[in-house]
PDB file of all heavy atoms in Angstrom:
ATOM      1  N   GLY A  10      31.273  18.463  20.988  1.00  0.00           N
ATOM      2  CA  GLY A  10      29.989  17.823  20.571  1.00  0.00           C
ATOM      3  C   GLY A  10      30.185  17.002  19.353  1.00  0.00           C
ATOM      4  O   GLY A  10      29.628  15.927  19.258  1.00  0.00           O
ATOM      5  N   MET A  11      30.945  17.485  18.386  1.00  0.00           N
ATOM      6  CA  MET A  11      31.189  16.678  17.154  1.00  0.00           C
ATOM      7  C   MET A  11      31.967  15.407  17.456  1.00  0.00           C
ATOM      8  O   MET A  11      31.690  14.345  16.886  1.00  0.00           O
ATOM      9  CB  MET A  11      31.899  17.495  16.099  1.00  0.00           C
ATOM     10  CG  MET A  11      31.041  18.614  15.525  1.00  0.00           C
ATOM     11  SD  MET A  11      31.789  19.481  14.133  1.00  0.00           S
ATOM     12  CE  MET A  11      33.207  20.190  14.842  1.00  0.00           C
ATOM     13  N   ALA A  12      32.888  15.497  18.430  1.00  0.00           N
ATOM     14  CA  ALA A  12      33.647  14.291  18.798  1.00  0.00           C
ATOM     15  C   ALA A  12      32.755  13.254  19.436  1.00  0.00           C
ATOM     16  O   ALA A  12      32.846  12.079  19.166  1.00  0.00           O
ATOM     17  CB  ALA A  12      34.782  14.680  19.765  1.00  0.00           C
ATOM     18  N   VAL A  13      31.841  13.709  20.306  1.00  0.00           N
ATOM     19  CA  VAL A  13      30.895  12.798  20.925  1.00  0.00           C
ATOM     20  C   VAL A  13      29.980  12.142  19.924  1.00  0.00           C
ATOM     21  O   VAL A  13      29.756  10.942  19.940  1.00  0.00           O
ATOM     22  CB  VAL A  13      30.091  13.493  22.082  1.00  0.00           C
ATOM     23  CG1 VAL A  13      28.979  12.625  22.580  1.00  0.00           C
ATOM     24  CG2 VAL A  13      31.055  13.880  23.229  1.00  0.00           C
ATOM     25  N   VAL A  14      29.428  12.969  19.056  1.00  0.00           N
ATOM     26  CA  VAL A  14      28.512  12.467  18.013  1.00  0.00           C
ATOM     27  C   VAL A  14      29.197  11.497  17.090  1.00  0.00           C
ATOM     28  O   VAL A  14      28.631  10.501  16.600  1.00  0.00           O
ATOM     29  CB  VAL A  14      27.901  13.694  17.234  1.00  0.00           C
ATOM     30  CG1 VAL A  14      27.162  13.179  15.989  1.00  0.00           C
ATOM     31  CG2 VAL A  14      26.989  14.472  18.127  1.00  0.00           C
ATOM     32  N   THR A  15      30.500  11.676  16.816  1.00  0.00           N
ATOM     33  CA  THR A  15      31.194  10.789  15.980  1.00  0.00           C
ATOM     34  C   THR A  15      31.616   9.491  16.707  1.00  0.00           C
ATOM     35  O   THR A  15      31.538   8.395  16.130  1.00  0.00           O
ATOM     36  CB  THR A  15      32.460  11.469  15.439  1.00  0.00           C
ATOM     37  OG1 THR A  15      32.100  12.622  14.718  1.00  0.00           O
ATOM     38  CG2 THR A  15      33.294  10.540  14.564  1.00  0.00           C
ATOM     39  N   ALA A  16      31.962   9.639  17.988  1.00  0.00           N
ATOM     40  CA  ALA A  16      32.428   8.471  18.740  1.00  0.00           C
ATOM     41  C   ALA A  16      31.329   7.492  19.140  1.00  0.00           C
ATOM     42  O   ALA A  16      31.539   6.314  19.131  1.00  0.00           O
ATOM     43  CB  ALA A  16      33.232   8.944  19.956  1.00  0.00           C
ATOM     44  N   VAL A  17      30.167   8.023  19.498  1.00  0.00           N
ATOM     45  CA  VAL A  17      29.086   7.124  19.993  1.00  0.00           C
ATOM     46  C   VAL A  17      28.650   6.090  18.999  1.00  0.00           C
ATOM     47  O   VAL A  17      28.640   4.930  19.348  1.00  0.00           O
ATOM     48  CB  VAL A  17      27.878   8.044  20.458  1.00  0.00           C
ATOM     49  CG1 VAL A  17      26.681   7.163  20.725  1.00  0.00           C
ATOM     50  CG2 VAL A  17      28.250   8.790  21.754  1.00  0.00           C
ATOM     51  N   PRO A  18      28.409   6.420  17.731  1.00  0.00           N
ATOM     52  CA  PRO A  18      28.073   5.341  16.803  1.00  0.00           C
ATOM     53  C   PRO A  18      29.154   4.350  16.502  1.00  0.00           C
ATOM     54  O   PRO A  18      28.891   3.269  16.012  1.00  0.00           O
ATOM     55  CB  PRO A  18      27.693   6.064  15.501  1.00  0.00           C
ATOM     56  CG  PRO A  18      27.654   7.473  15.786  1.00  0.00           C
ATOM     57  CD  PRO A  18      28.350   7.728  17.079  1.00  0.00           C
ATOM     58  N   ARG A  19      30.377   4.660  16.847  1.00  0.00           N
ATOM     59  CA  ARG A  19      31.463   3.704  16.659  1.00  0.00           C
ATOM     60  C   ARG A  19      31.705   2.844  17.898  1.00  0.00           C
ATOM     61  O   ARG A  19      32.027   1.683  17.771  1.00  0.00           O
ATOM     62  CB  ARG A  19      32.731   4.445  16.284  1.00  0.00           C
ATOM     63  CG  ARG A  19      32.624   5.171  14.974  1.00  0.00           C
ATOM     64  CD  ARG A  19      33.801   6.088  14.757  1.00  0.00           C
ATOM     65  NE  ARG A  19      33.483   6.935  13.613  1.00  0.00           N
ATOM     66  CZ  ARG A  19      34.356   7.181  12.648  1.00  0.00           C
ATOM     67  NH1 ARG A  19      35.531   6.701  12.692  1.00  0.00           N
ATOM     68  NH2 ARG A  19      33.992   7.940  11.626  1.00  0.00           N
ATOM     69  N   VAL A  20      31.572   3.430  19.071  1.00  0.00           N
ATOM     70  CA  VAL A  20      31.891   2.732  20.264  1.00  0.00           C
ATOM     71  C   VAL A  20      30.743   1.815  20.727  1.00  0.00           C
ATOM     72  O   VAL A  20      30.980   0.682  21.132  1.00  0.00           O
ATOM     73  CB  VAL A  20      32.223   3.742  21.404  1.00  0.00           C
ATOM     74  CG1 VAL A  20      32.375   3.040  22.771  1.00  0.00           C
ATOM     75  CG2 VAL A  20      33.505   4.466  21.049  1.00  0.00           C
TER      76      VAL A  20
END
Side-chain angles (χ1 to χ4, degrees):
M11 289 188 298
V13 169
V14 169
T15 300
V17 167
R19 295 170 190 225
V20 171

